[in-house]
Amino acid sequence: MAEDVMPTVNAEFGAKPVIEFPDADAPKGLKIKELVAGDGPVVRAGDTVTVDYYGVVWGKDTPFDSSYDRGTPAQFAIGVGQVIKGWDRGLVGRTRRSRLLLSIPPEYGYGSRGIPQAGIGGGDTLVFVVDIH
Protein backbone atom coordinates (compact mmCIF):
# COMPACT_ATOMS: atom_id res chain seq x y z
CA MET A 1 0.00 0.00 0.00
CA ALA A 2 3.03 2.31 -0.17
CA GLU A 3 1.57 3.85 -3.34
CA ASP A 4 -1.11 5.58 -1.30
CA VAL A 5 1.22 7.08 1.31
CA MET A 6 0.98 10.87 1.33
CA PRO A 7 2.84 13.46 3.38
CA THR A 8 1.25 14.91 6.48
CA VAL A 9 0.45 18.62 6.50
CA ASN A 10 -1.02 21.04 9.01
CA ALA A 11 -4.64 21.43 8.02
CA GLU A 12 -5.33 25.05 8.97
CA PHE A 13 -6.54 27.02 5.94
CA GLY A 14 -4.36 30.07 5.36
CA ALA A 15 -1.51 28.91 7.63
CA LYS A 16 1.91 28.42 6.06
CA PRO A 17 2.16 24.69 5.35
CA VAL A 18 4.50 22.39 7.22
CA ILE A 19 5.02 19.16 5.28
CA GLU A 20 6.36 15.93 6.77
CA PHE A 21 7.24 13.23 4.25
CA PRO A 22 6.79 9.53 4.95
CA ASP A 23 9.71 7.17 4.53
CA ALA A 24 8.31 5.96 1.23
CA ASP A 25 8.53 6.62 -2.47
CA ALA A 26 6.16 9.09 -4.05
CA PRO A 27 2.82 7.60 -5.08
CA LYS A 28 2.21 6.83 -8.73
CA GLY A 29 -0.16 9.07 -10.63
CA LEU A 30 -1.89 12.27 -9.58
CA LYS A 31 -3.06 12.15 -5.95
CA ILE A 32 -5.28 14.78 -4.35
CA LYS A 33 -6.17 14.87 -0.68
CA GLU A 34 -8.64 17.39 0.69
CA LEU A 35 -7.24 18.65 4.01
CA VAL A 36 -9.94 21.26 4.62
CA ALA A 37 -13.33 21.00 2.93
CA GLY A 38 -14.24 24.44 1.62
CA ASP A 39 -17.70 25.94 1.87
CA GLY A 40 -17.41 28.22 -1.17
CA PRO A 41 -18.54 27.85 -4.77
CA VAL A 42 -17.24 24.99 -6.92
CA VAL A 43 -14.22 25.81 -9.10
CA ARG A 44 -15.04 25.26 -12.79
CA ALA A 45 -12.72 25.11 -15.81
CA GLY A 46 -12.18 28.64 -17.09
CA ASP A 47 -12.72 30.28 -13.68
CA THR A 48 -10.11 32.68 -12.37
CA VAL A 49 -8.88 31.42 -9.01
CA THR A 50 -6.84 33.08 -6.29
CA VAL A 51 -4.64 30.64 -4.39
CA ASP A 52 -1.90 30.47 -1.84
CA TYR A 53 0.45 27.57 -2.43
CA TYR A 54 3.59 25.88 -1.18
CA GLY A 55 5.52 23.65 -3.59
CA VAL A 56 8.30 21.19 -2.82
CA VAL A 57 9.93 18.28 -4.58
CA TRP A 58 8.89 14.98 -2.92
CA GLY A 59 11.14 14.35 0.09
CA LYS A 60 12.81 17.80 0.17
CA ASP A 61 12.66 20.32 3.02
CA THR A 62 12.94 23.56 1.07
CA PRO A 63 10.15 24.83 -1.20
CA PHE A 64 10.96 25.70 -4.80
CA ASP A 65 8.08 28.19 -4.75
CA SER A 66 5.77 29.54 -2.07
CA SER A 67 3.23 32.33 -2.21
CA TYR A 68 3.22 32.26 1.61
CA ASP A 69 6.89 33.33 1.62
CA ARG A 70 6.16 36.12 -0.88
CA GLY A 71 3.08 37.24 1.04
CA THR A 72 1.07 37.52 -2.18
CA PRO A 73 -1.41 34.94 -3.50
CA ALA A 74 -1.37 33.92 -7.16
CA GLN A 75 -4.26 34.41 -9.55
CA PHE A 76 -4.85 32.61 -12.85
CA ALA A 77 -7.44 30.86 -14.99
CA ILE A 78 -7.79 27.18 -14.08
CA GLY A 79 -8.52 24.22 -16.32
CA VAL A 80 -7.35 25.99 -19.49
CA GLY A 81 -3.62 25.20 -19.62
CA GLN A 82 -2.21 28.30 -17.88
CA VAL A 83 -0.68 26.13 -15.14
CA ILE A 84 0.70 22.58 -14.95
CA LYS A 85 -1.73 19.75 -15.68
CA GLY A 86 -1.68 18.57 -12.07
CA TRP A 87 -3.18 21.88 -10.97
CA ASP A 88 -5.72 22.00 -13.81
CA ARG A 89 -6.89 18.49 -12.94
CA GLY A 90 -6.54 18.87 -9.19
CA LEU A 91 -8.36 22.15 -8.58
CA VAL A 92 -11.29 21.96 -11.02
CA GLY A 93 -14.32 20.54 -9.23
CA ARG A 94 -13.09 21.51 -5.75
CA THR A 95 -14.72 24.14 -3.59
CA ARG A 96 -13.30 27.53 -2.72
CA ARG A 97 -11.89 27.90 0.79
CA SER A 98 -10.51 24.34 0.54
CA ARG A 99 -6.96 23.31 1.44
CA LEU A 100 -5.64 20.60 -0.85
CA LEU A 101 -2.55 18.41 -0.84
CA LEU A 102 -1.46 17.42 -4.34
CA SER A 103 1.17 14.85 -5.29
CA ILE A 104 1.93 15.54 -8.93
CA PRO A 105 3.95 13.07 -11.00
CA PRO A 106 6.28 14.44 -13.70
CA GLU A 107 3.82 13.81 -16.53
CA TYR A 108 1.42 16.26 -14.85
CA GLY A 109 4.19 18.61 -13.72
CA TYR A 110 7.35 19.63 -15.56
CA GLY A 111 8.08 16.33 -17.30
CA SER A 112 11.48 14.85 -18.04
CA ARG A 113 13.14 18.28 -18.37
CA GLY A 114 12.12 19.62 -14.99
CA ILE A 115 13.16 23.17 -14.12
CA PRO A 116 16.79 22.84 -13.03
CA GLN A 117 17.11 26.51 -12.01
CA ALA A 118 14.27 25.94 -9.51
CA GLY A 119 15.80 22.70 -8.23
CA ILE A 120 13.22 20.52 -10.01
CA GLY A 121 14.86 17.57 -11.72
CA GLY A 122 13.46 15.67 -14.66
CA GLY A 123 11.23 12.95 -13.28
CA ASP A 124 10.64 14.66 -9.90
CA THR A 125 7.28 14.30 -8.18
CA LEU A 126 5.99 17.66 -6.96
CA VAL A 127 4.02 18.21 -3.79
CA PHE A 128 1.81 21.26 -3.38
CA VAL A 129 -0.37 22.49 -0.58
CA VAL A 130 -2.96 24.80 -2.13
CA ASP A 131 -5.48 27.05 -0.40
CA ILE A 132 -8.21 28.06 -2.87
CA HIS A 133 -9.58 31.48 -1.87
Side-chain angles (χ1 to χ4, degrees):
M1 281 313 236
E3 283 192 24
D4 295 322
V5 175
M6 290 283 279
T8 56
V9 179
N10 55 322
E12 184 184 346
F13 184 91
K16 182 176 176 179
V18 176
I19 300 174
E20 292 181 26
F21 285 94
D23 187 17
D25 291 336
K28 304 294 181 213
L30 177 64
K31 303 290 182 204
I32 304 148
K33 182 177 181 183
E34 191 173 66
L35 301 173
V36 173
D39 57 2
V42 172
V43 174
R44 303 200 185 288
D47 285 357
T48 295
V49 293
T50 301
V51 300
D52 273 302
Y53 64 91
Y54 186 89
V56 295
V57 171
W58 181 276
K60 303 277 173 130
D61 293 330
T62 306
F64 56 80
D65 195 7
S66 170
S67 69
Y68 298 94
D69 292 342
R70 283 194 306 275
T72 305
Q75 192 172 62
F76 47 82
I78 194 71
V80 294
Q82 286 191 6
V83 293
I84 59 174
K85 285 183 192 173
W87 279 49
D88 275 347
R89 293 184 181 203
L91 274 62
V92 171
R94 303 294 169 162
T95 54
R96 293 177 192 264
R97 294 190 285 283
S98 291
R99 172 167 272 202
L100 305 175
L101 171 65
L102 295 98
S103 176
I104 301 176
E107 62 268 24
Y108 294 115
Y110 297 109
S112 60
R113 288 190 314 249
I115 302 181
Q117 64 271 27
I120 301 169
D124 280 349
T125 294
L126 309 177
V127 175
F128 284 96
V129 177
V130 180
D131 289 339
I132 308 170
H133 294 281

